[in-house]
Amino acid sequence: MKFTTLVMLVLVIVIQLSPTLIRATTIVEGPNPSEEKLQCIVMNVIVPCLLPLTNPLIQPVAHCCQVMVEYKPCLCQFIKGEWSQALFNSPNARKTYKACNIPDPIC
């Protein structure tokens, strides 16, 4: 097994086991309860985009790009994240951003 593949597998397992990263909640701020703030849950992006983020031969599917666009404000947080940095700050991630028409995040 290649070292990179092993690292990615360990990364995914650790992220899945981390309760702080997989707990999805919506934050409602202000007097209007219909205003919801996007929470940067890394698993919401990793699940649909894992293959293109880890394999340079696989192009992202439409659902992956939709999720990437939705979580675009979170990409810098993912790039700087202790567990997600290797995945979101890689050449494969840059390829995925380009395929989804997302400019490279400048953090």
Side-chain angles (χ1 to χ4, degrees), residues 68-103:
M68 281 282 196
V69 169
E70 179 182 348
Y71 281 85
K72 184 178 171 185
C74 300
L75 291 179
C76 279
Q77 181 178 336
F78 297 158
I79 288 170
K80 294 176 182 177
E82 183 179 347
W83 300 105
S84 56
Q85 181 180 31
L87 200 57
F88 288 92
N89 195 23
S90 68
N92 291 338
R94 304 271 179 233
K95 177 190 68 84
T96 303
Y97 302 150
K98 184 176 181 179
C100 293
N101 295 320
I102 298 172

Side-chain angles (χ1 to χ4, degrees), residues 10-19 21-22 43 46-47 50:
V10 170
L11 174 70
V12 170
I13 290 169
V14 168
I15 289 172
Q16 287 180 343
L17 295 177
S18 174
L21 293 175
I22 59 174
M43 285 304 296
I46 289 178
V47 170
L50 181 62

Side-chain angles (χ1 to χ4, degrees), residues 14-46:
V14 168
I15 289 172
Q16 287 180 343
L17 295 177
S18 174
T20 59
L21 293 175
I22 59 174
R23 187 180 313 130
T25 56
T26 303
I27 297 175
V28 179
E29 293 182 345
N32 187 355
S34 65
E35 294 178 15
E36 296 179 354
K37 181 180 176 185
L38 175 67
Q39 276 215 288
C40 297
I41 309 294
V42 72
M43 285 304 296
N44 291 348
V45 179
I46 289 178

